[in-house]
């Protein structure tokens, strides 16, 4: 048994010897030779304590495992191989099992700090049998538990929450569940309000009650500015039967734009095509539709050559009248919650914006209208926000190669990240892919400082390896649902930790 330092005993920690450090140990990693029989107990990602003969106690984690049997080497003949070939039992005398330990740090009564000593070969290594070694890491709150130990709660460094987080793994491997069960409650405990953008409306909206969240529908908050509104109507009306870019269609677009500006009182003043504060006009969607029809027809008469006017009017009317009045709700500022109202609600708890039932452009516009308000608050008024943004399905907002309105949302998210650090606006980015075509925009990626990475798409293998030094990538690729490597500045350990969470205990404040 180890003669543990007093502070470890006081913490109720008990350990059991499992092996010894071998040749080639360094400061940050060391080979662990398992005592005979322990290879059946010690597993990859287990935490180990090393009584370094060079004078300190260090905590480490088992990473790559190796089984050695020199008598069975494949590059030359040996009696062992001959025995094996004959179906007999070769000698196990020279067999051994090793793990490469990644060193987490040196243990001190005040918590963990960077290890600077070489780990001495022949130092003894121990497994934890009682007490939670995670308590040694410092930090507070909880982001799940360590691998196979539901009682080993993994703490975080809450001061780094506004440095933004990213959650990545292949589809169906538990990203949204993890955010719902662990990240959102963590943000609340850390004192932040939460604003969730639910792209499909089925990842968070159904759990609103359990989360104690208020759900707002896109049409309650979104108001398309006239230029986007015009393009939107043309799209909905299948270009009124004209080919894209044709002169008549362009004229219809101008007519729509002008009519929308007039009717909704949103005349274009500056250069910036950003969504602007909503005027207080009291028109309903139906009224807008009727007014718009009249105004567009009048404008078309001015713009379109007499020869084509009748055809244009007929096509316009036929398709315009068929449009669902619902879509005109997006064009009116009447009855809408203003972005400041949405943020005010989010400050007090959790608000989920249900973006379902609309096309990507509308979803992104809704996001922009809130985001640009918040950006303004931080950039101009230097105001702390204290609300976290949860952006699920992030490649829809800030893909590798943004197109159309995505260019605006990508720039906006990048801007929010940069200011968010100082003005308490943590952003949680959730994506299936990390890098390249399937990933998120590099400008956004480099603003993420805490990473939760589960099993990744094969195309992301290399990036995952870069992101998770020391981790066995084949092991990462075989992770089950709901397991993530936790790494970055919120993680109290300098090396990635494998965490998981229980979906059953989701809203009971544990697991
Ligand atoms: N910790 C867990 N334990 C058990 N089951 C889980 C766990 N986490 C997630 N699941 C299950 O895995 C499934 C997929 O989860 P989820 O929708 O969170 O994945 P996702 O990564 O967000 O997928 P997508 O990329 O499609 O959005 C769900 O049915 C959920 O119940
Ligand atoms: Mg999801």
């Amino acid at each position: 048994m180890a003669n543990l330092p007093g502070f470890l005993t006081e913490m109720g920690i008990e350990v059991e010897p499992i092996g010894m450090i071998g040749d080639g140990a360094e400061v940050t990693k060391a080979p662990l030779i398992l005592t005979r029989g322990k290879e059946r107990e010690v597993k990859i990602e287990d935490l180990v304590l090393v009584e370094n003969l060079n004078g300190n106690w260090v905590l480490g984690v088992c990473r790559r495992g190796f089984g050695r049997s020199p008598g069975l080497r494949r590059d030359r003949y040996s009696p062992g191989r001959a025995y094996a070939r004959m179906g007999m039992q070769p000698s196990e005398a020279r067999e051994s099992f090793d793990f490469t330990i990644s060193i987490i740090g040196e243990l001190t009564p005040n918590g963990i700090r960077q290890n600077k000593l070489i780990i001495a070969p022949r130092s003894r290594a121990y497994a934890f049998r009682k007490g939670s070694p995670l308590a040694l890491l410092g930090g507070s709150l909880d982001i799940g538990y360590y691998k196979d130990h539901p009682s080993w709660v993994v703490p975080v460094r809450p001061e780094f929450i506004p440095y933004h987080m990213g959650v990545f793994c292949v589809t169906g491997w538990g990203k949204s569940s993890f955010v719902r069960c662990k990240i959102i409650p963590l943000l609340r405990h850390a004192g932040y309000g939460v604003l969730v953008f639910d792209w499909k409306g089925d990842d968070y909206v159904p759990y609103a009650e359990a989360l104690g969240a208020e759900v707002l529908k896109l049409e309650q908050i979104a108001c398309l500015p006239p230029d986007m509104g015009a393009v939107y109507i043309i799209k909905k009306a299948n270009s009124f039967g004209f080919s894209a870019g044709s002169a008549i269609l362009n004229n219809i677009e101008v007519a729509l734009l002008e009519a929308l500006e007039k009717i909704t009182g949103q005349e274009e003043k500056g250069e910036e095509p950003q969504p602007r504060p909503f005027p207080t006009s009291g028109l309903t969607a139906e009224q807008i539709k009727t007014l718009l029809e009249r105004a567009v027809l009048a404008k078309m008469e001015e713009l379109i050559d007499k020869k084509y006017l009748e055809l244009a009017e007929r096509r316009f009317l036929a398709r315009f009248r068929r449009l669902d009045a619902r879509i005109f709700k997006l064009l009116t500022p009447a009855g809408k919650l203003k972005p400041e109202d949405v943020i005010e609600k989010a400050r007090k708890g959790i608000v989920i914006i249900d973006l379902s039932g609309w096309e990507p452009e509308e979803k992104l516009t809704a996001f922009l209208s809130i985001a640009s308000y918040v950006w303004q608050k931080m950039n101009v008024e230097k105001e702390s926000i204290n609300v976290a943004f949860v952006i699920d399905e992030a490649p829809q907002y800030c893909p590798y190669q943004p197109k159309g309105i995505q260019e605006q949302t990508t720039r906006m998210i990048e801007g929010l990240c940069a200011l968010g650090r100082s003005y308490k606006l943590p952003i949680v980015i959730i994506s299936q892919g990390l890098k390249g075509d399937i990933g998120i925009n590099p400008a956004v990626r480099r603003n993420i400082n805490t990473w939760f990475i589960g099993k990744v798409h094969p195309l992301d293998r290399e990036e995952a390896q870069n992101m998770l030094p020391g981790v066995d990538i084949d092991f990462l690729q075989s992770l089950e649902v709901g397991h993530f490597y936790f790494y970055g500045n919120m993680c109290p350990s300098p090396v990635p930790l494998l965490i998981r969470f229980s979906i059953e205990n989701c809203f009971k404040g544990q697991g």
Side-chain angles (χ1 to χ4, degrees), residues 231-301:
V231 175
Y232 174 62
I233 290 176
I234 289 173
K235 218 177 134 198
K236 286 282 168 193
N238 287 329
S239 304
F240 297 104
F242 295 101
S243 54
S246 69
I248 296 182
L249 189 61
N250 287 347
N251 284 330
I252 296 180
E253 183 174 339
V254 173
L256 274 167
L257 173 60
E258 282 195 13
L260 274 172
E261 283 180 347
K262 225 179 282 157
I263 291 167
T264 61
Q266 299 182 90
E267 262 112 330
E268 197 68 53
K269 287 183 195 90
E271 290 287 292
E272 274 291 286
Q274 301 262 338
R276 277 161 296 113
F278 308 140
T280 48
S281 122
L283 296 172
T284 66
E286 282 290 354
Q287 285 169 321
I288 289 199
K289 188 176 177 186
T290 320
L291 286 176
L292 200 57
E293 181 182 309
R294 257 186 256 150
V296 172
L297 285 175
K299 190 75 194 168
M300 278 166 72
E301 227 166 293

Side-chain angles (χ1 to χ4, degrees), residues 175-176 203 392-393:
K175 294 179 294 295
S176 306
D203 283 326
D392 206 332
E393 309 288 343

